[in-house]
Amino acid sequence: MIDGVEIHPLLRIPDERGTIYHMLKRTDAYFRDFGEVYFSSVYQGAIKGWHRHRQMILNYACVYGRIKLVLYDDRSQSPTRGELMEVFLGPDNYSLVVVPPQVWNGFKGMASESIVANCATLPHDPAEIERKDPFSNEIPYDWTLRHG
């Protein structure tokens, strides 16, 4: 685990009409603040990353499809500096991943189309985000499919 990253299993309530997917309540112990909620779709094999936020905390859940979320910690004072973390989110692991500020993150679509919800602690501000190419050698991660 990367220092400050949290994973919380989420509740699904299915019945014959469909399913309710819980994500985040202000009464949850890990709720910090509300800035905005947005949804990001990603197609199979597509990669959205790398990026990190200077102050914003991200609260990711994959509400449709399946993704591989990858995190990288290069924070100078972090006890997990240099660590990588993979989390597969979707129907088999319906969870909320809390990503602290300054942690690089990106995700890859694993289904024909996936939808990721983010309940961010700040409204979007382009000056608050930093981006890198997903194939940058600065982050030691290979997005290609691994067999075995």
Side-chain angles (χ1 to χ4, degrees), residues 2 5 50 60 69-73 83-87 97-100 103-106 139:
I2 289 177
V5 173
W50 297 104
Y60 284 140
L69 173 65
V70 183
L71 308 170
Y72 177 66
D73 186 1
E83 294 290 321
L84 283 160
M85 183 176 164
E86 290 181 334
V87 183
V97 178
V98 181
V99 181
V103 172
W104 289 100
N105 65 93
I139 296 177

Side-chain angles (χ1 to χ4, degrees), residues 1-6 52-54 57 71-83 85 98-104:
M1 287 284 291
I2 289 177
D3 186 52
V5 173
E6 301 173 32
R52 69 177 174 186
H53 291 272
R54 290 177 176 82
I57 297 170
L71 308 170
Y72 177 66
D73 186 1
D74 75 345
R75 298 171 293 174
S76 61
Q77 301 302 313
S78 174
T80 55
R81 181 179 170 88
E83 294 290 321
M85 183 176 164
V98 181
V99 181
Q102 300 294 327
V103 172
W104 289 100

Side-chain angles (χ1 to χ4, degrees), residues 81-147:
R81 181 179 170 88
E83 294 290 321
L84 283 160
M85 183 176 164
E86 290 181 334
V87 183
F88 291 88
L89 299 174
D92 56 336
N93 184 23
Y94 185 60
S95 297
L96 183 81
V97 178
V98 181
V99 181
Q102 300 294 327
V103 172
W104 289 100
N105 65 93
F107 51 87
K108 180 178 182 178
M110 306 298 289
S112 59
E113 183 176 20
S114 301
I115 298 176
V116 177
N118 179 19
C119 182
T121 58
L122 298 171
H124 177 74
D125 176 359
E128 199 266 340
I129 191 169
E130 184 179 350
R131 298 182 187 279
K132 288 188 187 296
D133 183 285
F135 303 104
S136 167
N137 290 329
E138 296 174 56
I139 296 177
Y141 188 76
D142 182 358
W143 288 97
T144 58
L145 177 64
R146 291 186 296 265
H147 297 276

